[in-house]
Amino acid sequence: MQTSNKFLPIGSLADRLGASEDWRGDSLLLRGRRQALLAGNIANADTPRYQAKDLNFADAMGQALNSTIAPKMEASSDRHFTSESVARPKSTLELAGYTDPSQPSLDNNTVDLDRERAGIAKNSILYQLAMMVYEDELKEFKDAAGDPMKAPR
């Protein structure tokens, strides 16, 4: 029996750190987008034929780290941007997919409130964890850039 790993492999993340300098920012952005999708699902829990959407964070983060380059642009001056310097960000709906219904409903609505609430709780915790990493990094930067004579001993 083969199990699928839904998490980013540690090695691949460490290998890709140079590919996207702001991977922490990408992760915060994706967590915020996922939270909006899950909240939208809850808001549409009573809408007939509404199909619940979710964001597979590992896939979306992998796409963000390996962002595709925009189509080739013709530069008539050396001051123009090149296609390598411009990448088109994906919208939330391009990254989102439909969730499989856990049980059938009479109105064909696929929102499972328990699943959505659990997803929001988990995503909130991971978002706060990512924010704490950012805050710790900012604190270290401020300490390093500050006056060494005023540093706590």
Side-chain angles (χ1 to χ4, degrees):
M1 177 185 276
Q2 183 179 2
T3 59
S4 65
N5 186 1
K6 294 186 179 187
F7 300 102
L8 284 174
I10 300 288
S12 69
L13 181 61
D15 293 342
R16 290 186 174 99
L17 288 181
S20 175
E21 303 261 338
D22 193 24
W23 64 272
R24 290 175 192 89
D26 290 341
S27 70
L28 281 174
L29 180 65
L30 291 173
R31 291 277 174 215
R33 288 179 175 179
R34 182 165 189 248
Q35 198 77 350
L37 282 173
L38 294 174
N41 289 344
I42 290 176
N44 288 295
D46 294 328
T47 304
R49 292 184 300 281
Y50 180 80
Q51 301 294 307
K53 298 173 193 71
D54 198 358
L55 187 89
N56 184 334
F57 183 77
D59 290 346
M61 191 65 183
Q63 288 179 8
L65 291 174
N66 298 321
S67 61
T68 58
I69 303 300
K72 184 77 173 156
M73 295 186 291
E74 185 176 325
S76 58
S77 170
D78 59 342
R79 297 177 63 188
H80 289 167
F81 289 114
T82 63
S83 62
E84 289 79 29
S85 64
V86 179
R88 185 180 75 76
K90 292 195 175 237
S91 73
T92 304
L93 293 178
E94 288 177 312
L95 296 171
Y98 295 107
T99 59
D100 294 328
S102 57
Q103 58 185 356
S105 67
L106 293 175
D107 63 356
N108 291 328
N109 185 311
T110 62
V111 176
D112 179 2
L113 286 175
D114 292 331
R115 181 181 59 203
E116 303 303 324
R117 283 188 212 118
I120 282 182
K122 179 181 176 183
N123 196 56
S124 295
I125 291 168
L126 294 172
Y127 184 86
Q128 288 182 358
L129 178 67
M131 281 300 296
M132 287 189 323
V133 168
Y134 244 137
E135 289 169 357
D136 286 346
E137 190 172 310
L138 179 63
K139 183 180 179 284
E140 289 175 11
F141 179 74
K142 284 181 177 179
D143 289 344
D147 186 5
M149 299 303 287
K150 293 183 180 179
R153 295 176 191 223

